[in-house]
Amino acid sequence: MANLDLTQYLDYALIAMLVVVGIAIIRMKNLFAIVMLTGTYSLLSAAWFVSLDAVDVAFTEAAVGAGISTVLMLGAMLLTARDCKPEGKARHIVALLVVVITGAALLYALGDMPIYGDPNSPVNAYVGMDYVAMTPNDINVPNIVTAVLASYRGFDTLGETFVVFTAGLGVALLLGLGGRKEEEN
Amino acid sequence: MIGYLDFVIALALAGAMAVMLTRLCLGPSLYDRILAVNSFGTKTVLFLSVFAIMVGRADGVDIALLYALINFIATIAILKFFRYRSLDVALSQMTKRIDQVEGGQ
């Protein structure tokens, strides 16, 4: 699978850019630039999700993360200052401690993860195979991911639909269709 | 099918994204950053389209289309933010200018 190998390098490039954006967000003092960078972070991670074949996750990430959260962040910026103030050293140490402990726990858990593409992993062994086998009879949709999302896990998708609805509300808010009619200024 | 050409194009687009990212991080003025974000979004749309062709899956083009739309929304929100200092202005009142645009940071 030469194509698989090649997409791997694109994954590395995207992840490297994610790391750069993350560090830039930490170093930056200007809040507006940080809002821009978080939008870019969402775009990048959604592109990465696409390259990992998680198209549905990428769809939600692009709609909510890149578009609406940028709008919400800008709305929040209207209520606060434009720059951030430096914090005391004590808080830095507490934050570092929390991050190190969480990172150590995640690394510890990483040892139990199955290898990527392992046919005996839980993802590929139990219910996933049933979906593949039963979708043609049960639902008769060519795309199995769609069948799983819209039928087998319908309630889960209903929750996601609420999220997308919120995104639509954000767009309506932004364009201000109708809007206020009073003529103050 | 080995899509080396597709891969090279995708890699070049990733490089262009990296350049935009540099401008986004360094960009002295806010308008540099807005432009960089907008251009970065366009590069992402192109990247996803090329990626979809490279892998041979049509789904990626849907995502690319969604990106193009979302990118537009975000840019409008940012520009509205700068011009009106509020996201609450209706389209019908957009011609009126509430306060002066402040350049720089």
Side-chain angles (χ1 to χ4, degrees):
Chain A
M1 284 288 280
N3 268 332
L4 189 69
D5 287 340
L6 292 180
T7 57
Q8 219 170 19
Y9 296 120
L10 293 180
D11 284 352
Y12 296 150
L14 289 175
I15 293 173
M17 280 194 266
L18 277 178
V19 171
V20 170
V21 172
I23 292 172
I25 288 176
I26 296 172
R27 304 299 305 171
M28 206 77 85
K29 292 279 181 274
N30 181 354
L31 281 184
F32 180 79
I34 292 175
V35 171
M36 298 286 90
L37 279 168
T38 50
T40 315
Y41 191 90
S42 290
L43 278 173
L44 267 173
S45 53
W48 182 44
F49 291 149
V50 169
S51 96
L52 288 179
D53 267 358
V55 182
D56 54 316
V57 184
F59 224 92
T60 313
E61 178 68 41
V64 176
I68 300 312
S69 74
T70 306
V71 176
L72 287 180
M73 293 267 206
L74 284 175
M77 263 183 67
L78 286 169
L79 304 174
T80 181
R82 300 290 284 279
D83 292 298
C84 56
K85 297 192 194 80
E87 280 291 347
K89 274 275 193 290
R91 283 201 181 189
H92 285 187
I93 290 166
V94 173
L96 184 69
L97 214 63
V98 169
V99 168
V100 166
I101 290 173
T102 315
L106 286 174
L107 279 178
Y108 175 70
L110 199 64
D112 287 342
M113 292 264 289
I115 297 166
Y116 183 65
D118 180 11
N120 294 320
S121 70
V123 180
N124 292 332
Y126 303 107
V127 72
M129 289 299 105
D130 287 348
Y131 286 145
V132 173
M134 285 157 62
T135 298
N137 293 327
D138 281 359
I139 300 158
N140 196 16
V141 168
N143 188 338
I144 291 172
V145 174
T146 306
V148 170
L149 283 180
S151 179
Y152 292 119
R153 296 185 195 160
F155 281 113
D156 186 30
T157 308
L158 187 66
E160 280 184 34
T161 314
F162 282 128
V163 174
V164 176
F165 173 69
T166 317
L169 272 185
V171 173
L173 197 79
L174 168 66
L175 294 179
L177 302 171
R180 292 184 185 171
K181 284 285 171 274
E182 71 241 54
E183 307 270 325
E184 34 204 307
N185 305 16
Chain B
M1 187 197 83
I2 304 175
Y4 281 116
L5 181 64
D6 297 335
F7 174 69
V8 169
I9 294 172
L11 211 60
L13 281 171
M17 283 159 81
V19 172
M20 287 304 147
L21 205 60
T22 330
R23 181 43 70 205
L24 186 62
C25 295
L26 300 178
S29 83
L30 290 174
Y31 299 101
D32 287 328
R33 291 192 164 121
I34 294 172
L35 208 58
V37 164
N38 200 7
S39 180
F40 191 91
T42 314
K43 298 288 182 301
T44 318
V45 171
L46 291 174
F47 178 85
L48 286 180
S49 309
V50 171
F51 188 86
I53 294 168
M54 178 178 159
V55 186
R57 294 181 48 156
D59 316 25
V61 180
D62 291 349
I63 304 277
L65 279 174
L66 181 75
Y67 268 41
L69 295 170
I70 289 292
N71 200 22
F72 173 67
I73 292 288
T75 307
I76 288 190
I78 292 161
L79 294 177
K80 206 169 163 181
F81 173 81
F82 276 111
R83 176 147 178 173
Y84 296 105
R85 290 272 173 269
S86 157
L87 300 177
D88 205 20
V89 184
L91 273 183
S92 52
Q93 299 185 333
M94 279 273 197
T95 47
K96 278 195 295 184
R97 190 178 164 121
I98 289 178
D99 61 354
Q100 288 291 0
V101 178
E102 285 174 7
Q105 318 204 5

